[in-house]
Every structure is written in structure tokens, then in C-alpha cells.
Amino acid sequence: MHENYGDLPLISSIHTDLNFTALPSLDATTSHKKIRVRGRLHTSRRVGKKMIFIILRCQFTTIQSVVALSSTITNEMIEFVAAIPLESIVDVIATVVTPSKPVEACSIHNLELSVSEMYVVSRACTRLPITYEDASRPAHAATDLATVSLDNRLNFRTIDLRTHANLAIFKIRSALLHTFRTHFRALNFTEIHTPKIIEAASEGGANVFKLEYFKTHAYLAQSPQLYKQMCICADFDRVFEVGAVFRAENSLTHRHMTEFVGVDAEMAFNGHYHEAMNLYAELMSKVIDEVQTNQRAEIALVRKMYPAEDVVLPATPLVITFAEGVQLLRESGVEAGDFDDLSTAQERLLGRIVKERYGADFYVLDQFPLSVRPFYTMPSSANPLYSNSYDMFLRGEEVLSGAQRIHGSELLKERAVFHGVDLESIRCYIDAFAYGAPPHAGVGIGLDRMVMLLLGLPDIRCATLFPRDPKRLRP
């Protein structure tokens, strides 16, 4: 390594006295100061033999830096800098100066770095499998320049995630989850963590991953459903959980995955399940509104890659019954069964109808047919062919599913048997209700799907760090 440039040895935590300045913190107060910064080599452009313009990047921040031949900057250093591969991590010691004109290509327009020293911390390979520039280019861009397919983005996700749009998506996702937690706690919900290796399929049916468990077998949890209800039986009153959910659905669609993050909640109520349903609907509206208000900068970055309008929320929760939804579809010329679940196409059409009629992207569909809901769903007292269950829709797609749960052990056993559930496999769950259980209702929200719908992304995989589907187990 030379006096003012070179490849640093692998950092093994020897130095404690290095004073770094964070790129995002640079402003007029740092002008004319000599600083040390770390960033990725975003671009490099040589001008003749004596000067190189480089752009350093740190997440959303970029700044132009100039390496110019001088008494301390040698030809050898110019050659060294010119050969550094893009996306390498570098340390730069430089003086903050004012450029001759604003640098429009960078997020910091009115400052640049006059480089005196430059060291490579981590050298990227010369030929990357995908480039940052290509990964940053929208698929809809009217250009002959290369774009990157979703499959290739996911194959080389580490590079893809560096783009401004992706960094913004996951900042928004983090803010969304934080907002959920804040509101749940303000409403006296207790956060819980339930087992993901379980004895019986929590939702019934065949869409469950079975695994060997010592001398017997077990399943990966399809939801925390049974356990959050048991917590209500244990007088927790209100609970929520954020955790992994596993579904063995062989579905290669834009909105299904075999593993996703669920935001689940359950609460006791007094007289009517609408007490809970309305609370959840208001909570969803508040969370969406706060994220759209507080994350404007990140949303703007996402919009450059994935154009979409903000979600339009109703002033108060908009609730229509399933039967009313079916009627709206029929009035639009679409055949829909009274007791059939809605298809994705029907969901989307109903979403458009609701938007045209009520001016809202978010609504609640109440009183689903009992035949399309899980065994623990409470039948409707008005019509036993329907149930006290509800889904909530965002931009015409289901984002939340919920219901009043059966809190009587005899009816619960009857419904479980009807659905072909082995009572012995859920004995602990059934017994919890025999000890006394309050009426209660809950929801399950797919966090990944909610991020996709909130931002208007084309695929749930865009909202998931490292997606899992029937054909993808890596990275």
C-alpha cells in the first residue's frame, strides 16, 4: 500500500481512532473541512490522463469526488483509482469544496470532495452479474438500455437491494411494522411469540409443510391462530404477533409465497364481533395514513421505479356485506355464486367497482359464506350459511382476513369434525375452551402483501427480502 492510496488489509478491528464523517451528514457547515468518508464507488469517469470524477454512494446519498493530478496525487494513484471496480467500498480522505456549478447527478448538489487519499476497503469483482445502473432502471422505461428481470433481481438480490427504490421499499416496510406495533400497544395489545413447529395443521387442509420430528412428525405453522386464541382463554384480553407463516401452496402467482411474515391479532369483545372488526378497520386506516404521510421521501423514490397513486382511504370504515359484493359483481355482468369464494379477478373487479362508487381503495367485506372459512369461524346468527367473518381489501386485493372465533368447546368440536380435523391432534386447543373462554375475534395480515399493495408494486417478491415460493429456495 502506498502513502495515500492502495488496498487496505482486511479490517480485523485493530484501529479505534479513525474519525469518519457520514456522507448523509455533509452540508454547508462541513465546507472547507478535511474529512474521512466511506462509501461505494458508484461511478468513475476519467477525463484525460490527469483527472478522474467519481461518485461515492452511501444508501440514498451520492456526492461527486475529484481526483486530480497534483504534487501529492501521482500518475500511479490516478491509474490505481481508475482501475477500482464499481461497487467497491472505499475510504476517501478529502476536503469538502464548492463545485463550479451544482452537480445535478448527485443528491448533494452544492458540495464535492477534493480527494487527497483513497483506499479500497473491499474490492468488488470486475464483472458483476447485474449492474446497479441496470437494476435501477424501471422495466417500463422508454429506452433501449438494459433492464433486469425479476428472476435475475432475485438471483442476485444483494446487488438489487442496493438500489434506491429497494432501499426505500424496506425502509417503508420497517416503518409500517413499527407503526403497527405502536398502535397495537396504544390499544393495550400484548405482543406474543408462538411456536412455529406444531403438532397439527393450524388452519386444517392440505396446505401444510410436514416434517420429521424425532420419532414422530410435526408441521410448520400456517398461522399462530390456535395459540393466540389460547392466550385469549388465558385472559390476555388482546394480543398480537409478528412472525413467520408457512403455507405449502403450489401457487406461482404475484401475491402468494410459501413463507411470509404475518401480523396477527386477537381480542376479546363484549356483545358483537363488529366491536373488533371496526377497531381493526380503523387501525388499518390509521397505519396506512401515517405511513403515507411520514414516508414521503421514500415513497417518492419507489414511485420512480414503480409508478402508482397513493391509497385513497374512506373517512370512516367502509363495510359492505359479501352478499352485497356479489350483487355488485352481478350488476357488472360477472357471474358470482352466493356461497363461492371470490377469485382474484372478481376481487380486483369488485375493488374497481367500490373505487368508482365510493371513491375508496380500502374497504371491508363482511359476512362471508361459512363454507369457505376455517373450522373455528363462528356461524352467523342471522343465517347459518354465512359466518361472522370479514376480509379487508386494498387496491382490489385481500390484505387482511379475520373473524369471530367459536368460543364454545362443543360447537368447536362439531365444526372441527365437520372439516375433517382430528380432534386428538388439537386436544390442548379444544380443552382451553372447556375451561371458559370469552367471545373474541381476530385478524391475520400478510405484511409482505400489504407492502406490495400499499406501494402498488407488481409482485409480492418485490416487497420481500429473500422470497420463498414453490420454485425458489435461494438465496
Side-chain angles (χ1 to χ4, degrees), residues 168-193:
I169 286 169
F170 290 97
K171 292 281 188 183
I172 294 165
R173 180 183 167 118
S174 176
L176 177 65
L177 190 52
H178 173 76
T179 308
F180 265 123
R181 280 195 164 104
T182 299
H183 280 283
F184 275 129
R185 286 170 180 150
L187 291 165
N188 294 319
F189 281 75
T190 299
E191 185 166 7
I192 60 173
H193 299 95

Side-chain angles (χ1 to χ4, degrees), residues 349-467:
L349 175 58
L350 186 56
R352 291 196 294 271
I353 295 169
V354 169
K355 180 68 177 287
E356 291 169 5
R357 180 167 296 198
Y358 301 103
D361 289 312
F362 176 68
Y363 73 97
V364 184
L365 197 60
D366 191 20
Q367 288 279 305
F368 271 72
L370 183 62
S371 60
V372 301
R373 306 302 274 200
F375 73 90
Y376 46 76
T377 306
M378 179 68 79
S380 171
S381 57
N383 185 338
L385 295 177
Y386 288 92
S387 63
N388 294 347
S389 62
Y390 44 87
D391 283 358
M392 299 184 193
F393 292 82
L394 187 58
R395 297 192 197 269
E397 296 194 46
E398 176 206 321
V399 69
L400 172 155
S401 187
Q404 178 184 356
R405 325 301 187 180
I406 295 170
H407 58 284
S409 60
E410 292 306 313
L411 179 57
L412 190 58
K413 285 189 281 188
E414 178 186 318
R415 293 298 301 162
V417 170
F418 179 83
H419 279 260
V421 177
D422 176 15
L423 291 182
E424 194 55 41
S425 70
I426 57 169
R427 177 61 55 195
C428 294
Y429 168 70
I430 295 288
D431 285 349
F433 293 88
Y435 310 145
H440 56 283
V443 293
I445 305 160
L447 181 66
D448 312 78
R449 187 181 295 187
M450 185 168 178
V451 174
M452 174 188 76
L453 295 173
L454 175 62
L455 297 176
L457 305 178
D459 196 290
I460 194 170
R461 294 158 185 81
C462 300
T464 309
L465 274 174
F466 301 103

Side-chain angles (χ1 to χ4, degrees), residues 62-74:
T62 52
I63 188 169
Q64 179 169 275
S65 308
V66 182
V67 185
L69 191 67
S70 68
S71 59
T72 56
I73 305 294
T74 63

Side-chain angles (χ1 to χ4, degrees), residues 141-244:
T143 176
D144 293 331
L145 297 174
T147 58
V148 182
S149 69
L150 179 58
D151 241 15
N152 265 343
R153 288 181 180 280
L154 299 179
N155 289 339
F156 306 105
R157 192 61 160 156
T158 307
I159 299 174
D160 181 51
L161 287 171
R162 295 174 187 172
T163 65
H164 284 182
N166 279 325
L167 287 173
I169 286 169
F170 290 97
K171 292 281 188 183
I172 294 165
R173 180 183 167 118
S174 176
L176 177 65
L177 190 52
H178 173 76
T179 308
F180 265 123
R181 280 195 164 104
T182 299
H183 280 283
F184 275 129
R185 286 170 180 150
L187 291 165
N188 294 319
F189 281 75
T190 299
E191 185 166 7
I192 60 173
H193 299 95
T194 62
K196 301 308 167 202
I197 302 174
I198 59 178
E199 184 181 15
S202 46
E203 300 289 333
N207 297 328
V208 59
F209 288 109
K210 187 176 181 180
L211 62 147
E212 295 299 318
Y213 192 72
F214 300 102
K215 294 184 178 181
T216 183
H217 61 264
Y219 301 92
L220 292 179
Q222 295 164 292
S223 81
Q225 184 59 48
L226 309 189
Y227 293 97
K228 59 180 181 168
Q229 286 187 259
M230 291 166 74
C231 286
I232 299 301
C233 295
D235 290 344
F236 278 46
D237 193 52
R238 296 180 173 189
V239 298
F240 78 99
E241 176 173 4
V242 179

